[in-house]
Amino acid sequence: MKKRIAKVFLLFFAAFFFLTMRLGWIQFVRGDELQNKALDNRLREVPVEAKRGTIYDRNMRELAISISADYIYAIPPQVMRSGREQEIAEKLAELLELPVDVIYNKITKKGSWFEYLARKVDFEKSAVVKEMKLPGINVAEESQRFYPNDYLAAHILGFAGIDNQGLEGLEVTYDKVLRGERGSIVIEFDAAGREIPHAMHKYIPPTDGSSLVLTIDETIQFIVERELDALMASPANPKSASIIVMDPKTGGILALANRPTYNPNIFNKYPQSSWRNIAVSNSYEPGSTFKVVTAAAVLEEGLVRENETFHDPGYIKVGSETISCWRPHDPHGTQTFAVAVQNSCNPVFVTLGLRIEEKKKGLFYDYIQAFGFGEKTNVDLPGEAKGILIEEKNLKPINIATISIGQGIAVTPIQLVSALAAIANDGVLLKPHLVQEIRNSDGSLLEKIQPEVVKQVVSKETARETLAVLESVVSEGTGRNAYIEGYRVGGKTGTAQKAGPGGYIQGRYVASFLGVAPVDNPRLVALVVVDEPQGYPYYGGTVAAPIFKRVIEDSLHYLGVTPQYNPDDKQNGEVQRTVSMPNLLGINVAKAEQALRSLGLVPEFKGSGTVIKDQYPNPMAKITPGTKVILHLEEGQDSDVVRVPDLTGYRVYQAASLLEAMGLHLLPEGSGWAVIQDPSPNSLLEPGNGVKVKFQER
């Protein structure tokens, strides 16, 4: 009996010990895990998307913003418990314009408690869904990416997908910065999947993304895209085209655009080929624009004298091969180095390229690679190409000869414009970039991006000597169509025959112009590339150079770069042009002064105070630049509205400068002089609004 009692006691003790250990294991070892599982069984999270950060231009104009949108979702257990699945599916399918079976399958999906039914729904439809009060069907808010200027800077900005994820352009490059962190609404349900009234509801707010301030200038971007649109609508009607404008002192890109293009608000309605940013992703043979690199290298090495003469018989022999000049029927004959650059003479540049290689094997490639060719520039855009260089070990004299004139090498537009920017920056190559600041969601500065020096490619003296030679190309050579009155402009034309299977393709060319202005104090470097212009002439000097002229002329005026003389002023004592006096009443002193100086007028303030109470000449009066304007001051608050000035007869840059000074921005159409505007002169607008202005050539 005692043994039996002992056995029972031992079994009881063993069971108790096992249960105690099991309880300890569940309570202490797996406690957190099981608690989370229990919470998961009764707690459900409805996602709340964070707003992506805003993308601004360099003047804090919005280029990409996030706006509110609604999404409609279903909780299948609640829908099925109502017994109205078919009715709900039919009503929603009609409203959302979706197949009934698609909606039905989602709202009756087994094992699922949350299903998206429609995303980015307009507020009218979401309001109807709310009014229906369908069981298990709810509406919640999310953010949607919106690009206020539609096509403007599409290849820079890119676009974001339905889940607010960056897919192209800066949106994908800086996705982690812009995206922010998702929040949620936590709701408690019972075992049957019913929401428990007055139970635990928790809101976890999202963290909005940081914002980007770009180097892009919206007005210069408008100018660039205006010219591209005009080109695509012209008889030239090229296959594609690109323009890049850069500040050589900082490496900041002021404008970059391609055609064909797309509207990022509805990107899925365009072919994917139009999303491609050909300014950074396409490699092409640059032709004579590459002679800038050859000229800089030969000058740096001291392999050419200023007055050295060369003879062009219309061709040059390199081994058993013959390279023709672009004008073989009418050779350039005897010419100095500077004149050879003006004439873009192939035999002279072949001679110079071979001289560099004769001095030291591989020296020419050293310069090519130092200028950044053959490697990515690491500009902050996706899909950048490296270009194509023949392997150095496979180089032959004929390769050196063709590369020296821009054939037998493939570069990207961003590489080529960066190379000229280095020459314009006293020989210092900078990394091209598009973002100058990153700001927190509250607007405070998070990071300022400084210009990044890559290397000193050539000396300051060589850089300035190269620019002087390029200036003669515009003033006296093949680049005459890029000449801008009042400014010293330098540049190089390019017309490259396109390569294909078995050699170069007859009748297919890339016309381009690479230039800088003003030469004495470079502010802008730009490249215009036109792929396969139709008809004749197809040369860079006739197709691309005039586009460069219009872009840079308007941009220099807009930036306030003072010309040597005003091309709009008539000479020989004739009457100067006039401007319309803006209405400055009620605006502050700083705005008034900026507005007047943008028109070449001289402000003189009378009295004390912070806002304008009276002015002379009166608003709308026609006056000439240089006129003194008397402004009487008083104490007071800056007006909440601005009177729209009369812009009739203004150039694009003048209208943009004046409106910007007054807190408005320009929405231009066409080029030339302003003829029509909306709103009309003297209309009242709140600061931040745009004024549509149509421009026409006289």
Side-chain angles (χ1 to χ4, degrees):
M1 180 65 73
K2 288 182 179 179
K3 289 182 179 179
R4 288 178 181 175
I5 292 173
K7 287 179 181 179
V8 170
F9 178 78
L10 287 173
L11 288 172
F12 177 80
F13 179 79
F16 181 78
F17 179 78
F18 173 77
L19 291 174
T20 303
M21 294 299 294
R22 179 65 177 167
L23 179 63
W25 173 262
I26 292 172
Q27 184 70 30
F28 299 108
V29 178
R30 297 191 61 198
D32 291 340
E33 175 192 349
L34 295 174
Q35 185 180 28
N36 289 333
K37 285 185 176 181
L39 288 172
D40 287 341
N41 281 334
R42 74 174 197 274
L43 297 181
R44 303 288 186 267
E45 289 189 358
V46 177
V48 179
E49 292 290 344
K51 287 189 176 182
R52 288 179 75 82
T54 302
I55 301 179
Y56 300 95
D57 86 332
R58 67 204 298 254
N59 297 309
M60 300 303 291
R61 300 165 179 148
E62 293 174 341
L63 299 176
I65 61 176
S66 288
I67 60 175
S68 294
D70 284 339
Y71 69 88
I72 300 169
Y73 68 95
I75 301 176
Q78 292 184 0
V79 174
M80 289 187 287
R81 191 167 54 251
S82 72
R84 298 169 56 192
E85 299 95 324
Q86 188 64 35
E87 175 195 347
I88 292 171
E90 289 175 356
K91 286 185 176 181
L92 290 177
E94 181 181 0
L95 176 66
L96 302 177
E97 299 176 359
L98 293 171
V100 175
D101 59 332
V102 172
I103 298 291
Y104 184 86
N105 291 337
K106 287 186 176 183
I107 65 177
T108 59
K109 189 173 182 179
K110 293 182 179 180
S112 173
W113 76 271
F114 178 94
E115 286 292 322
Y116 282 114
L117 299 181
R119 306 285 302 276
K120 317 297 184 187
V121 179
D122 61 61
F123 292 117
E124 289 78 9
K125 287 184 179 180
S126 62
V128 173
V129 172
K130 290 177 183 177
E131 290 174 2
M132 288 180 178
K133 295 182 180 179
L134 300 172
I137 306 300
N138 298 287
V139 177
E141 184 180 335
E142 63 180 340
S143 69
Q144 177 177 344
R145 207 55 163 161
F146 179 66
Y147 304 91
N149 297 310
D150 292 329
Y151 297 90
L152 188 80
H155 290 104
I156 297 171
L157 302 173
F159 51 82
I162 195 167
D163 290 315
N164 262 358
Q165 77 278 29
L167 297 177
E168 280 289 341
L170 292 175
E171 293 279 23
V172 68
T173 303
Y174 288 89
D175 187 51
K176 290 183 180 179
V177 174
L178 292 164
R179 179 181 286 195
E181 295 183 10
R182 173 188 283 186
S184 62
I185 300 172
V186 182
I187 305 172
E188 190 171 7
F189 292 83
D190 65 13
R194 293 171 297 205
E195 185 177 341
I196 302 175
H198 312 296
M200 181 173 65
H201 287 62
K202 184 179 180 182
Y203 174 60
I204 303 173
T207 302
D208 292 341
S210 299
S211 296
L212 303 180
V213 181
L214 306 187
T215 59
I216 293 297
D217 190 297
E218 183 188 66
T219 300
I220 297 177
Q221 185 74 26
F222 265 125
I223 293 168
V224 163
E225 301 211 19
R226 174 197 76 195
E227 293 302 323
L228 284 174
D229 287 337
L231 170 66
M232 300 305 285
S234 72
N237 188 25
K239 177 181 177 182
S240 63
S242 300
I243 301 177
I244 304 175
V245 181
M246 182 184 287
D247 180 349
K249 302 299 183 185
T250 66
I253 297 172
L254 299 176
L256 181 154
N258 307 295
R259 290 296 182 272
T261 187
Y262 65 96
N263 183 343
N265 288 311
I266 47 174
F267 64 88
N268 54 347
K269 295 186 178 180
Y270 292 80
Q272 291 191 17
S273 59
S274 67
W275 305 349
R276 184 177 177 85
N277 189 348
I278 58 178
V280 300
S281 301
N282 275 21
S283 299
Y284 72 106
E285 292 195 0
S288 294
T289 52
F290 194 78
K291 292 173 181 175
V292 172
V293 175
T294 307
V298 77
L299 287 169
E300 178 72 4
E301 292 298 321
L303 296 176
V304 64
R305 300 186 305 277
E306 183 178 354
N307 297 319
E308 183 177 355
T309 58
F310 300 84
H311 182 70
D312 168 31
Y315 64 91
I316 185 171
K317 297 281 289 184
V318 181
S320 60
E321 304 288 341
T322 301
I323 298 177
S324 298
C325 190
W326 64 272
R327 202 175 75 178
H329 58 282
D330 184 17
H332 296 112
T334 301
Q335 57 197 322
T336 64
F337 169 67
V339 173
V341 178
Q342 294 169 23
N343 293 332
S344 194
C345 183
N346 286 346
V348 173
F349 277 91
V350 169
T351 301
L352 297 174
L354 293 173
R355 276 188 190 179
I356 300 171
E357 196 65 10
E358 287 167 3
K359 180 176 181 180
K360 179 184 175 184
K361 184 175 177 57
L363 182 59
F364 193 22
Y365 249 37
D366 290 343
Y367 277 101
I368 290 172
Q369 292 169 335
F371 271 109
F373 299 104
E375 295 294 336
K376 295 180 180 180
T377 65
N378 292 318
V379 65
D380 28 11
L381 285 171
E384 184 181 7
K386 296 195 302 182
I388 303 172
L389 293 180
I390 299 171
E391 287 190 39
E392 194 168 348
K393 63 182 181 181
N394 296 328
L395 279 178
K396 300 176 182 178
I398 187 61
N399 301 130
I400 296 295
T402 57
I403 291 171
S404 66
I405 60 173
Q407 302 275 184
I409 182 174
V411 307
T412 64
I414 192 68
Q415 287 175 335
L416 193 56
V417 77
S418 297
L420 182 58
I423 295 172
N425 189 36
D426 292 334
V428 179
L429 179 66
L430 299 176
K431 175 186 171 183
H433 64 282
L434 284 154
V435 177
Q436 62 184 18
E437 288 179 2
I438 300 176
R439 293 180 174 267
N440 289 311
S441 56
D442 62 3
S444 59
L445 183 64
L446 181 63
E447 180 183 357
K448 188 169 183 65
I449 298 172
Q450 301 294 338
E452 183 179 330
V453 175
V454 179
K455 64 174 63 177
Q456 180 89 37
V457 184
V458 294
S459 67
K460 181 177 180 180
E461 294 72 25
T462 296
R464 293 189 173 181
E465 192 174 354
T466 305
L467 290 180
V469 173
L470 294 179
E471 183 180 8
S472 69
V473 174
V474 174
S475 60
E476 303 176 51
T478 56
R480 290 187 185 89
N481 286 331
Y483 177 74
I484 302 172
E485 291 182 277
Y487 295 97
R488 295 175 59 188
V489 180
K492 188 72 192 71
T493 58
T495 309
Q497 198 168 3
K498 295 185 72 172
Y504 289 98
I505 306 172
Q506 189 65 34
R508 294 189 182 180
Y509 299 90
V510 177
S512 58
F513 188 88
L514 177 67
V516 55
V519 166
D520 51 337
N521 182 24
R523 292 288 302 275
L524 299 174
V525 170
L527 172 65
V528 179
V529 181
V530 183
D531 186 12
E532 293 189 24
Q534 303 301 304
Y536 182 88
Y538 47 76
Y539 301 115
T542 53
V543 176
I547 297 173
F548 171 90
K549 168 190 166 68
R550 291 190 291 271
V551 167
I552 297 303
E553 182 177 26
D554 282 352
S555 299
L556 288 173
H557 284 303
Y558 161 72
L559 294 173
V561 180
T562 306
Q564 296 171 354
Y565 63 90
N566 194 325
D568 286 335
D569 291 345
K570 295 185 178 180
Q571 305 299 315
N572 303 320
E574 293 185 34
V575 180
Q576 288 184 312
R577 65 184 176 91
T578 61
V579 295
S580 179
M581 179 67 194
N583 191 329
L584 305 174
L585 301 181
I587 71 173
N588 66 43
V589 172
K591 282 184 182 177
E593 183 172 11
Q594 186 180 353
L596 292 176
R597 294 198 183 282
S598 72
L599 298 176
L601 303 174
V602 181
E604 182 174 320
F605 298 100
K606 299 289 186 181
S608 60
T610 56
V611 299
I612 311 303
K613 73 171 182 178
D614 197 8
Q615 66 179 73
Y616 179 81
N618 293 323
M620 313 294 279
K622 298 294 184 181
I623 54 179
T624 58
T627 299
K628 182 181 290 186
V629 177
I630 309 299
L631 301 172
H632 295 275
L633 306 179
E634 66 177 0
E635 292 295 342
Q637 294 292 324
D638 194 5
S639 175
D640 293 333
V641 293
V642 178
R643 290 193 179 273
V644 179
D646 180 7
L647 303 172
T648 306
Y650 286 17
R651 298 291 295 275
V652 175
Y653 64 88
Q654 294 168 327
S657 298
L658 176 59
L659 291 174
E660 182 179 347
M662 300 182 75
L664 305 173
H665 65 272
L666 176 67
L667 302 174
E669 178 186 338
S671 61
W673 285 261
V675 291
I676 302 173
Q677 68 181 79
D678 180 31
S680 59
N682 242 13
S683 300
L684 296 177
L685 276 186
E686 292 182 357
N689 282 309
V691 179
K692 295 181 180 179
V693 183
K694 184 175 181 179
F695 295 86
Q696 287 183 354
E697 297 291 348
R698 286 176 178 166

